Amino acid sequence: MVSDDLPVEVRTAFGVASGPARLLPGGDGTCWLAGELVLKPAPRPAVASWLAEVFADLRGPGFRVPLPVRAADGSWVAGGWAAWTAVEGEPDPVARWPELVAASRAFHAALAGVPAPDWLGRGRNRWVVAERVAWDQAEVELAPELSDLVEGLRAAIRPVRLPDQLVHCDIAGVLFAAGQPPAVIDFSPSRRPAGYALAIAAVDLLAWSAAPPSILDELDGEDDIDQLLLRALIWRLVTESLGRPDPGSRQAVRRANEPVVELLLSRVSGRPVTTGPATDADIAASAGRALGREITGLRPVTGGHSRSVTRIADHAGGGSAFVKAAAPAGRAELGVELAVYEALGDRPFLPRLLASTGEPLPMLVLETLEQDHWVRDWTAPLVAATRKLLHEVHTLPAPSGVPVLREASNPWEAIAADPARLLRMNVCTRRWLAAHLETLHAAAAEAPTEGDSLIHRDVRAANLWCRDGRLVLADWASAAIGDPWLDHHLWLVALHAEGGPVPDTGQGPHATGHAALIAGQQPLLTPARDANPALFDQRRRRLTAALSWAARLLQIPPPQPPT
């Protein structure tokens, strides 16, 4: 079935045969793949036509670009839409960072002689305003969660005397395909020094994709790179401040970007990074002291989305331990986990705490749980055992040192302000969202979050281990004191997203409000860039499960992904 969002007259204008069109993930959730063409809305025809003229004449070597396609009447825009050839490839910006850097340099060398249009930089959207703050010292009211980070970066700004040219402010989205140069897509133009494009890509990957600080080594050849990095991070933080009305989401931005701020300020000041990521040597030395045994080797731990550094530490005598050391953005979460372990003692549902350390390197040292016994598939007995375990957790005395949940901000307010956050996840149409957003907002407003129980808030297969009747719940970084049914309903959503039964069969009080609240939170917890495909897919599955559940409870039509 072809969605009404892709008008028949647009297909006709660009010669697209009838047949299904597929909404592409990411971006604003508005681009369609139909046959060999990608069709995009063009609300500003002059801008779309200019982009087409630029890309029509742009050639490598060192990069590919999609080519614009003219409509039947010879124009680049027809009926408010533009068409481009589809290009092969998938994003992989961290693993293929050197190739991305080389492609950016080649692309910007080809752009160097292209004049900037008169309209560039004259708007009042948040990206333009943020650029004025970063480059022209313009003033803007910032969210309290981010203002000190921005001011600290601005204090380190020094003049940059490099030539300006057209630059791509979203170069991290290049596509990689075997045997072909990287493809540069979705041109977001500005007029700045060429290295600014890589600076934006670098700070985004450091913040949201767990890229190591060593990616900056690849940029050592860029003139004034530290100053470009400072401006790039100011720009990103200001866009987030202006675009995120919900405090919880802004706090997530702060946690992700704080270590990047520290890294950049350390580079320009020449001082050591005081909150840098722990090295394996640091981890081995600290774990050895805590255990009173020599660490003979460290092994990486795969999977998970923790901000902490995790390792299996082999020690003298042939044993091993699981070590979790705080990265800069994960110190608070590790402190929460330690509070849980210290308060609950040797409960069988917790990994056994062997040792812990504080400053300078906060660390948990836990028993090693064999890899083969982590939960991969949900069975009826496992669902029942998990439900029983959660009930046990919720009846325990609430430990000190664990944050207390207050009334949650309504995530649907942020989605109403920027629907693209949800639409880019491709779970419902724009028309469905417009029709039911108010209903979802009202339901989420009634969802209780406060309570007196210890809640985990991240119960899912990857955090459960089962052997010989012992069920272990790991990773307490998100633990809080709050409403136990919120914890239960979060688990039911994760359970269904992982192939388990629908949440309706185990729901409790306030299920309608919690379903709407959980659904609205998923897009806000997904990074601004889809640079982490696994996390994006996990959030998308949970959004689908929670939104469909909320629709059933609210008796509104079920959401359907655009087709």
Side-chain angles (χ1 to χ4, degrees), residues 24 144 159 167 178 246 258 263 275 304 370 383 420 431 444 486 490-491 561:
L24 297 175
V167 295
D246 52 304
E258 265 186 308
L263 174 64
T275 58
E370 296 92 335
V383 171
R431 181 174 299 175
L486 172 63
L490 283 165
W491 166 57

Side-chain angles (χ1 to χ4, degrees), residues 459-484:
V459 182
R460 54 192 171 101
N463 287 334
L464 287 165
W465 184 90
C466 188
R467 181 180 179 183
D468 298 333
R470 181 190 176 197
L471 183 61
V472 173
L473 179 56
D475 196 352
W476 290 78
S478 299
I481 308 302
D483 178 46

Side-chain angles (χ1 to χ4, degrees), residues 47 85 88 109 213 233 258 294 349 474 485 503-504 511 514 519 552 561:
V47 174
T85 57
E88 289 184 83
L233 190 50
E258 265 186 308
E294 179 187 359
F349 64 78
W485 281 108
D504 315 56
H514 284 155
R552 291 192 295 274

Side-chain angles (χ1 to χ4, degrees), residues 254-292:
R254 181 184 181 90
R255 289 193 297 270
N257 284 276
E258 265 186 308
V260 189
V261 172
E262 168 66 21
L263 174 64
L264 298 191
L265 293 180
S266 298
R267 283 173 62 96
V268 298
S269 67
R271 61 179 169 80
V273 181
T274 57
T275 58
T279 66
D280 277 3
D282 296 332
I283 293 171
S286 187
R289 286 191 297 270
L291 287 170

